[in-house]
Amino acid sequence: MKIRTLSFAIVALSGLLAAAPTQAADKLTVLLEWFVNPDHAPMVIAKERGLFAAAGLDVELVPPADASAVPRLVAAKQADIGVHYQPNLYLDHAAGLPLVRFGTLVETPLNTVTVLADGPIRSLKDLKGKKVGFSVSGFEDAMLKRMLASDGLSNDDVALINVNFSLSPSLIGGKVDATLGGFRNFELTQMRLEGHEGRAFFPEEHGVPVYDELIFVTHKDLAADDRLPRFLAAVEQASVYLTNHPQEAWQLFIKAHPDLDDELNRQAFTDTLPRFAKRPAALDRGRYERFGAFMKESGLIEEAPAIEDVAIEIR
């Protein structure tokens, strides 16, 4: 029903725009969570194919100067939309930031626990007494705790080493025996290109509830802004195009960002295709309830929030 609703909205908006071609497009600023990369392909393709323009939008994609500042900047209305992480949304809500999720970009986890494929670690149980490198504490600690518990271990059975953002080099160089937080669509290829095959353990297969890796958030005051459904309708069209025409989409992507035309990003682009939300406006309330409960059980938040306090579904 939601797909039909969005499709009708696209047709209706296209008709309105055709009837008023001289009307200026509405500006919309999207603050990315990281520098432009294949995870952002639906938005890049929507721009390149003129889908945002057809929806009456002038969308600007802005890489952040400080990735950790994205939720605060959106909460301060310095950007209309932020690309964010579902786990962090609960932490931001608990901290009092007036943010709400209104769409999904990547609908599966990308996080992993990664080891060297030719190393001695064949299962999570083999991590007992080993060193695990991480970049950001908080959710990832809780993720590891739940994963280890699925194999009868605890975080006390491993030594956590802060390697900043040097995950793959630390693993390849033998500084740590495993890494926490590497993305399955990026770090594994990066390692292979450097001559080292990796083995990934997926959190959703070891006790962690499935969650959306990347979501769209906005200030609660903008929840009823009519630019948001037009934005999601264009992103939905682009996501379907990516699925139907991956090679053409890749050419459009590197036309917009020729600096990303290399083997690493080409493989990451392919590996991310099945993970893009085909119904970005759809909200799985059960998924958000289960993950809120996980965050509470992990001690990251005091209470799981009501769904309507952190996520909305635009119709």
Side-chain angles (χ1 to χ4, degrees), residues 88 133-142 162-165 167 180-181:
N88 293 63
F134 72 97
S135 297
V136 182
S137 61
F139 163 66
E140 291 182 355
D141 293 349
N162 189 337
V163 297
N164 294 316
F165 289 96
L167 291 173
L180 174 63

Side-chain angles (χ1 to χ4, degrees), residues 1 17 40 60 68 74 81 93 109 111 117-118 126 147 159 175 208 220 229 237-238 257 271 276 288 296:
M1 180 60 74
L17 290 168
H40 306 126
E60 182 182 12
S68 68
V74 176
I81 296 171
H93 173 75
N111 255 317
D118 60 358
D126 296 329
M147 293 177 71
K175 183 176 180 180
V208 178
K220 288 185 174 180
Q237 282 190 309
H257 298 282
D271 290 345
F276 291 125
Y288 275 70
K296 180 179 183 298

Side-chain angles (χ1 to χ4, degrees), residues 106-110 184 204 210-214 274-275 287:
V106 174
E107 64 182 4
T108 74
L110 295 179
R184 64 193 70 175
E204 69 272 22
V210 176
Y211 58 93
D212 299 336
E213 188 66 57
L214 294 177
R275 303 187 181 279
R287 174 179 289 197

Side-chain angles (χ1 to χ4, degrees), residues 258-271:
D259 56 311
L260 300 181
D261 186 10
D262 57 35
E263 187 173 353
L264 175 58
N265 283 290
R266 187 180 303 111
Q267 188 61 51
F269 186 90
T270 299
D271 290 345

Side-chain angles (χ1 to χ4, degrees), residues 31 64-82 97 99 219:
L31 189 55
D66 176 3
S68 68
V70 172
R72 296 195 303 275
L73 291 173
V74 176
K77 299 183 179 178
Q78 298 300 304
D80 302 303
I81 296 171
L97 294 186
L99 298 176
H219 192 289

Side-chain angles (χ1 to χ4, degrees), residues 90 93 288-289 291-296 301-307:
Y90 296 86
H93 173 75
Y288 275 70
E289 289 172 352
F291 203 78
F294 167 75
M295 295 290 282
K296 180 179 183 298
I301 55 177
E302 291 187 3
E303 294 293 336
I307 302 304

Side-chain angles (χ1 to χ4, degrees), residues 224-239:
D225 193 309
D226 72 352
R227 294 173 299 169
L228 301 186
R230 286 184 279 159
F231 172 81
L232 289 182
V235 169
E236 178 175 302
Q237 282 190 309
S239 296

